Amino acid sequence: GENVEQHPSTLSVQEGDSAVIKCTYSDSASNYFPWYKQELGKGPQLIIDIRSNVGEKKDQRIAVTLNKTAKHFSLHITETQPEDSAVYFCAASETSGSRLTFGEGTQLTVNP
Amino acid sequence: EAGVVQSPRYKIIEKKQPVAFWCNPISGHNTLYWYLQNLGQGPELLIRYENEEAVDDSQLPKDRFSAERLKGVDSTLKIQPAELGDSAVYLCASSSGTGFEDTQYFGPGTRLTVL
């Protein structure tokens, strides 16, 4: 089955700096790669996703890149704000509606 | 639009007791998922329904866990009997089931503590 590894497990940045979280996956059949943000006591919330036919996708301060050959994808957050502080999960699946395999999560702290 | 609704939000039980969790998906969503999230880890799929049919239940511990989705809308996940290791957050998610742009939306979860 699919295995997703995520790094780093914790990340602390100053407000306004950029943050980068990286994930690798094992199953070449995976074609869908979402990123979820989870705040304390809440369920995961989708912030951006990318499919295998696209190398990069951007939504305001958030961008995701995908290297399907190397089987890795990354989340980039620019101009970080304190409200970006949360746990971020990457995931992979064959299609958007099928089983998501999640990474272990990254605790992002943005210091004012 | 209302999101995925789960109840209860918190549950504390003693080991060997039964427990049940309820989920109401987003209106019109045909696919429903139950995920288990242990502390400090990412969610793991327990079961996926397409309408009333369980199409992926390979990770559901069937000796003690059961689930149902009668009428293809609400779903109930049950554990009987509960063990100490079942303490976790149980997340329900739903998606439209159209195949493309099929985003999974998560509910707030039920935090289970087994004493």
Side-chain angles (χ1 to χ4, degrees):
Chain A
E2 176 65 276
N3 181 52
V4 176
E5 295 188 357
Q6 182 172 346
H7 301 279
S9 56
T10 61
L11 180 59
S12 182
V13 300
Q14 290 298 122
E15 183 177 0
D17 287 351
S18 295
V20 180
I21 303 171
K22 298 182 179 181
C23 290
T24 60
Y25 62 100
S26 61
D27 191 347
S28 57
S30 290
N31 290 299
Y32 176 67
F33 307 93
W35 287 87
Y36 283 85
K37 174 183 180 182
Q38 188 172 28
E39 297 175 320
L40 201 60
K42 297 183 179 180
Q45 179 184 13
L46 180 76
I47 56 171
I48 196 168
D49 58 11
I50 192 168
R51 287 172 171 78
S52 59
N53 58 345
V54 175
E56 183 173 358
K57 185 176 179 180
K58 188 175 182 179
D59 183 4
Q60 299 182 336
R61 297 187 296 110
I62 296 174
V64 59
T65 59
L66 170 66
N67 184 328
K68 209 162 191 303
T69 303
K71 294 195 183 73
H72 65 72
F73 55 113
S74 301
L75 177 71
H76 305 252
I77 305 174
T78 59
E79 301 173 19
T80 54
Q81 302 166 4
E83 50 265 40
D84 293 331
S85 297
V87 178
Y88 290 80
F89 290 98
C90 63
S93 66
E94 190 168 337
T95 67
S96 55
S98 59
R99 167 195 299 264
L100 289 173
T101 301
F102 284 84
E104 294 284 293
T106 296
Q107 173 69 62
L108 173 64
T109 302
V110 180
N111 302 300
Chain B
E1 178 182 279
V4 176
V5 179
Q6 291 188 246
S7 70
R9 291 295 316 279
Y10 306 91
K11 189 74 175 178
I12 301 174
I13 61 171
E14 294 189 346
K15 63 180 180 182
K16 299 185 182 180
Q17 294 300 305
V19 64
F21 314 123
W22 176 79
C23 172
N24 180 244
I26 292 171
S27 178
H29 279 193
N30 298 322
T31 306
L32 184 145
Y33 316 75
W34 283 102
Y35 284 85
L36 164 70
Q37 186 174 26
N38 287 306
L39 187 64
Q41 297 183 21
E44 300 173 30
L45 183 73
L46 290 172
I47 189 167
R48 174 168 66 101
Y49 283 94
E50 289 182 6
N51 298 304
E52 301 92 347
E53 183 182 2
V55 296
D56 184 352
D57 63 355
S58 58
Q59 300 303 309
L60 187 73
K62 297 181 181 64
D63 57 336
R64 297 185 301 108
F65 286 65
S66 64
E68 62 182 11
R69 191 185 184 199
L70 301 177
K71 301 180 181 179
V73 181
D74 296 0
S75 178
T76 302
L77 178 68
K78 298 178 181 177
I79 308 175
Q80 182 171 11
E83 297 179 351
L84 294 176
D86 296 332
S87 293
V89 175
Y90 292 81
L91 294 163
C92 180
S94 70
S95 68
S96 62
T98 56
F100 191 71
E101 297 294 341
D102 215 357
T103 301
Q104 295 184 34
Y105 296 91
F106 284 81
T110 296
R111 180 176 295 277
L112 173 67
T113 302
V114 182
L115 302 176

